[in-house]
Amino acid sequence: MSARPVGASARQDMFSARSQTTTRREEQKSARPDTRNQNETGEGAGANFEGIGSSDDMLELEHVIGYTGHYWETLQAHPVDPHVYVKSMGSVVAICDTSDPHNQQFLRAHDMEISAMSISPSGNMIASGQVGTVHQPGYHAPVIVWDYATKKDLFVLTGHTKQVRLLEFSPDERFLAGTGNDCLLYIWDMQTGEVVFGKKFDEPVILFEWASIKENGRRASYEIILCSPGGGPQDDVRHCELAYDPVRAQWTLKAENVNMPSGGLARTYYSAMLSPDNEYMLCGTSVGDMLVFNLKNSVYRASVPVCSSGLVSIEVNEETGDVFCGGGDGTLKKLQGRDMRWELHGETRLDSKIVSLSIMAGNTEMLAATAKGTQYRVLLDDLSATIISTSHTDHITCTSFGSRFDVFATGDAHGIIKVWDLSDYATIMEVTEKKTGAVTCLSWINSTAIVAGFEDSFVRCFDATSGSKLWEIPSAHKGKITCVSVHSDSRLSFLVTGGLDGGVRVWALKNRELMIQFVEHQKSVTGITIDVKKPNLIHSVSSDCTFLTFDLIKEKRVVSHMVREGAFLCCSQRLDSEQEVITADGNGRLLFWDCDYATPVQMVQDPSRSKCNALKVSPSGRYIATCGEDHLVKVFDLVDGGQLASVGHGHSEYVLGLEWSGDEKQLVSVGEDACVCIWNFYGADAGVGAVE
């Protein structure tokens, strides 16, 4: 229940704008400033690793795509800067710009997903709260207050556990109120960071609104409206006053229940806003109506039906008094009125439940966010909506590039596949397969179709433009599909899959008939690579500590390698030297295997010794990119003996997959934080072509 001022600067990332064309990227490469160490000050940045020299600026975070919509009001417009908005990306606070998607700044200090956020009325402070941490005992859920100008943390406010539900700055920015799933209400002094009031309720406080401020001697008193379930069929709405008691030398909270109809109203409250004159409070409820309360008399006045599936978000235009209501059914409505009289003056529909509404500075537009991770700009006049960005809302399990350098695909744990355009980060195609489980792996057929493995043991192929299903292979393995790889040229076209059952199966791409199968792994197949020189050779690794090579012509295994400990998790193949296959294990070891030798011919040890989830050799063959459970993306230089060349810190959770663009100028990584990180890569000898 204490506040700890933080002397060190906030862990943040500030990244320069990306080029939208290849020409601009090349100009950046030739004229880029040496700012890598300035931009990555967060934990795990490249400066923390030995063996990284001046080449650490090879990897530059260009853009992050992400917003889950798991928690309400976690996307808010800045009250002063007209184009700036703040949103949560996993455990990171992201400051974004609607006029320039490349302009992003990241505030890093949380270690779990952000569950509540608030911006002070002047825009000078940002407060963020998180879900209770699982990394330390006690499930502590700290609240961090940030200075918007310096992007540094001012206070780390402790006391809450389990999850922070709501954060609200007082109108004069003197206090910050926070409520949590631990049933606690805290009010902190923003001048000192100290707790001035704390109270434990029987149930969590689900609504909290600061109302008017009254001058009361040396210290003002504050009118507050809060709501906490009272154990009956309806939640208790309480009209409170926060005032300083000079006798007890402390702040006290006096509360009285708002008068409700004699018959009662069985409601659970979702959202609340005050009218511009602070005379009325408007509450959204679980049944989809808006309840109106008169604060002067502390009495219920009206119930206005608005939508179905609950009225989740309410926003009020302070200049016009218009009320904007976001429903659980995806409807966005504009209401005008007062007290018991209300009229509908506009309506539109978004793609799913609206979880955040926030009017932008200038009072002409509003930001809206939905439970599907879609963010919109909405004109206040006619409610016409334009998509800013779309996102995944669950763990992104895999990513893949096709033959085009500017288009890539991602798949997530909800069975959703998205195809993205790198020039503007827009979604070209999205397809959702229901009741299939997670998308576990992806591969392209040139640039026209995407082959995906699913948790339900099916392999499905989709058109990369329309999203229509072209074909599927049912029950391709016993259990989920773990790996998929496609080879297609004028002479030979086939598909290779690996499964949880340890089998490796080869399918004719034309008619999807099973050509041959190899069942020699004892555990799950974790990686498959089609040989870069001889496509009739299939390399596979497994969690049973074996690395096997199969010859499609001879129809048998031709190479076998095994280690005593350290299950193989992924593999890739060099383009230079002897085209050795590179494997990675749970201890961060990269082992280089030559078919002529029984033991690895080289080993590269990841400095963090963390589990490696993905491994990819670059198109030129000079670099290896890896990612894993340390939240980092690392690039190793093969020409320099496998030395660690660059480290990128973009994700806030485990990184699950990565892929190079075909021109080796960009790298895409995905992870458990439901974020897509797009990296610019400035290699020593950028360009396509194998290293000799």
Side-chain angles (χ1 to χ4, degrees):
M1 205 165 66
S2 61
R4 177 175 58 85
V6 178
S9 63
R11 290 175 286 184
Q12 61 168 347
D13 290 333
M14 302 174 62
F15 304 101
S16 60
R18 79 179 290 276
S19 299
Q20 294 190 17
T21 64
T22 301
T23 302
R24 287 185 61 192
R25 288 200 300 265
E26 291 173 349
E27 291 174 354
Q28 275 189 320
K29 178 188 171 185
S30 61
R32 67 185 186 275
D34 187 11
T35 60
R36 174 64 177 175
N37 290 333
Q38 299 175 18
N39 289 341
E40 286 210 334
T41 60
E43 182 179 333
N48 294 337
F49 286 82
E50 298 179 358
I52 302 177
S54 61
S55 63
D56 192 31
D57 64 346
M58 285 183 180
L59 202 59
E60 174 190 71
L61 185 57
E62 174 190 302
H63 187 74
V64 181
I65 302 171
Y67 178 74
T68 63
H70 290 167
Y71 300 98
W72 300 346
E73 307 304 332
T74 50
L75 183 145
Q76 298 185 20
H78 193 274
V80 177
D81 288 348
H83 301 293
V84 175
Y85 65 99
V86 182
K87 65 178 179 179
S88 63
M89 288 184 176
S91 62
V92 175
V93 177
I95 302 175
C96 306
D97 192 329
T98 58
S99 62
D100 182 5
H102 316 129
N103 182 17
Q104 292 180 308
Q105 301 175 59
F106 303 99
L107 311 179
R108 303 177 185 274
H110 293 285
D111 63 354
M112 295 292 289
E113 187 171 7
I114 292 171
S115 57
M117 197 174 347
S118 181
I119 305 177
S120 65
S122 68
N124 292 331
M125 292 183 288
I126 301 171
S128 56
Q130 68 172 59
V131 176
T133 182
V134 297
H135 305 294
Q136 299 175 7
Y139 298 102
H140 298 291
V143 173
I144 300 176
V145 181
W146 308 87
D147 186 303
Y148 175 72
T150 63
K151 309 301 185 291
K152 296 180 180 179
D153 42 0
L154 298 174
F155 301 106
V156 175
L157 308 174
T158 60
H160 281 299
T161 58
K162 298 181 181 179
Q163 177 193 321
V164 179
R165 289 184 67 104
L166 293 171
L167 293 172
E168 290 289 341
F169 284 98
S170 62
D172 60 358
E173 303 186 5
R174 172 70 188 278
F175 298 113
L176 172 67
T179 72
N181 281 354
D182 53 5
C183 305
L184 291 171
L185 165 65
Y186 285 121
I187 298 177
W188 294 278
D189 190 326
M190 286 295 94
Q191 295 178 347
T192 63
E194 296 179 349
V195 175
V196 298
F197 180 80
K199 179 179 175 62
K200 188 175 181 65
F201 291 80
D202 294 334
E203 297 289 339
V205 176
I206 57 178
L207 289 183
F208 187 99
E209 287 292 329
W210 297 92
S212 60
I213 303 176
K214 301 176 182 178
E215 295 299 329
N216 187 13
R218 294 179 56 190
R219 291 182 173 88
S221 61
Y222 297 80
E223 183 183 13
I224 294 171
I225 310 298
L226 62 83
C227 177
S228 176
Q234 66 183 34
D235 296 340
D236 291 334
V237 179
R238 303 178 187 181
H239 196 176
C240 309
E241 181 185 31
L242 179 70
Y244 186 79
D245 185 348
V247 176
R248 302 172 64 183
Q250 66 182 26
W251 289 86
T252 59
L253 190 70
K254 299 178 181 179
E256 63 177 6
N257 287 345
V258 173
N259 295 320
M260 301 295 288
S262 58
L265 284 174
R267 298 290 192 273
T268 297
Y269 296 98
Y270 284 170
S271 55
M273 286 292 291
L274 298 175
S275 61
D277 58 5
N278 286 342
E279 186 174 347
Y280 295 94
M281 185 175 74
L282 313 174
C283 295
T285 73
S286 56
V287 300
D289 61 352
M290 181 179 73
L291 300 189
V292 182
F293 297 92
N294 185 302
L295 299 184
K296 183 178 180 180
N297 301 316
S298 294
V299 64
Y300 160 84
R301 293 295 295 164
S303 171
V304 182
V306 177
C307 60
S308 60
S309 302
L311 179 50
V312 177
S313 187
I314 297 179
E315 181 71 333
V316 175
N317 189 327
E318 295 291 336
E319 294 184 2
T320 65
D322 294 343
V323 178
F324 299 90
C325 301
D329 57 0
T331 57
L332 175 59
K333 297 183 179 182
K334 180 167 72 172
L335 305 179
Q336 291 180 354
R338 182 180 177 84
D339 198 17
M340 300 180 68
R341 293 193 171 190
W342 296 87
E343 295 179 351
L344 178 65
H345 281 256
E347 179 178 353
T348 190
R349 182 176 290 273
L350 306 184
D351 64 358
S352 63
K353 178 169 65 177
I354 301 172
V355 297
S356 293
L357 291 175
S358 183
I359 294 177
M360 303 180 70
N363 260 30
T364 59
E365 289 184 302
M366 174 174 57
L367 295 177
T370 68
K372 282 190 174 181
T374 309
Q375 302 125 67
Y376 296 86
R377 295 175 69 173
V378 182
L379 289 176
L380 300 184
D381 186 28
D382 59 2
L383 297 186
S384 58
T386 303
I387 293 178
I388 300 175
S389 177
T390 62
S391 308
H392 289 278
T393 60
D394 204 347
H395 300 170
I396 307 178
T397 55
C398 50
T399 183
S400 180
F401 274 91
S403 57
R404 290 181 57 180
F405 301 162
D406 60 341
V407 174
F408 68 96
T410 55
D412 71 15
H414 279 163
I416 299 174
I417 299 173
K418 292 177 182 282
V419 178
W420 306 84
D421 188 337
L422 274 177
S423 64
D424 57 4
Y425 319 118
T427 303
I428 300 174
M429 184 275 287
E430 177 178 339
V431 61
T432 303
E433 284 291 299
K434 298 181 179 179
K435 300 181 180 180
T436 61
V439 180
T440 55
C441 46
L442 291 172
S443 186
W444 284 75
I445 302 177
N446 299 318
S447 62
T448 59
I450 301 169
V451 179
F454 285 81
E455 196 173 14
D456 66 352
S457 77
F458 278 51
V459 177
R460 298 177 175 89
C461 181
F462 304 92
D463 185 277
T465 303
S466 66
S468 59
K469 188 189 299 183
L470 303 178
W471 50 261
E472 67 180 16
I473 304 174
S475 302
H477 288 267
K478 294 179 180 179
K480 71 177 181 180
I481 310 299
T482 56
C483 309
V484 63
S485 187
V486 173
H487 176 81
S488 180
D489 58 27
S490 57
R491 297 177 299 172
L492 190 61
S493 296
F494 60 89
L495 167 71
V496 185
T497 61
L500 190 66
D501 56 3
V504 175
R505 296 183 175 182
V506 183
W507 313 80
L509 200 56
K510 183 177 180 179
N511 54 18
R512 274 77 62 193
E513 290 185 358
L514 180 61
M515 298 169 57
I516 191 172
Q517 66 174 334
F518 304 96
V519 188
E520 299 198 27
H521 289 295
Q522 302 302 310
K523 294 183 179 180
S524 172
V525 177
T526 54
I528 286 178
T529 297
I530 299 173
D531 195 87
V532 296
K533 294 293 185 180
K534 300 177 180 179
N536 60 295
L537 298 180
I538 309 298
H539 309 290
S540 66
V541 296
S542 170
S543 53
D544 64 0
C545 304
T546 61
F547 156 46
L548 307 177
T549 299
F550 305 100
D551 191 326
L552 299 184
I553 297 177
K554 297 180 180 179
E555 299 185 356
K556 66 177 183 179
R557 168 173 51 84
V558 292
V559 177
S560 176
H561 294 287
M562 179 179 290
V563 293
R564 291 185 177 180
E565 57 182 20
F568 295 130
L569 303 177
C570 49
C571 65
S572 189
Q573 188 177 12
R574 295 188 67 162
L575 305 181
D576 61 343
S577 186
E578 298 295 325
Q579 289 83 52
E580 296 96 336
V581 174
I582 308 170
T583 62
D585 62 19
N587 297 320
R589 296 184 305 170
L590 306 182
L591 303 178
F592 294 67
W593 300 90
D594 189 316
C595 63
D596 297 326
Y597 296 89
T599 58
V601 296
Q602 184 182 353
M603 185 189 78
V604 173
Q605 179 66 63
D606 188 318
S608 67
R609 297 182 180 273
S610 64
K611 179 181 176 181
C612 179
N613 291 326
L615 161 72
K616 297 291 180 180
V617 172
S618 68
S620 71
R622 173 165 181 173
Y623 301 98
I624 310 172
T626 66
C627 62
E629 294 188 350
D630 56 3
H631 307 177
L632 304 176
V633 173
K634 305 185 185 74
V635 177
F636 298 85
D637 191 340
L638 293 176
V639 173
D640 194 22
Q643 290 296 313
L644 183 59
S646 189
V647 176
H649 187 199
H651 293 276
S652 59
E653 296 292 340
Y654 294 165
V655 190
L656 301 180
L658 54 75
E659 187 67 85
W660 294 91
S661 64
D663 57 2
E664 202 176 281
K665 294 180 179 179
Q666 291 187 303
L667 188 67
V668 173
S669 61
V670 298
E672 288 189 359
D673 54 3
C675 290
V676 179
C677 290
I678 300 168
W679 308 84
N680 287 328
F681 182 71
Y682 306 103
D685 298 308
V688 180
V691 176
E692 296 180 358

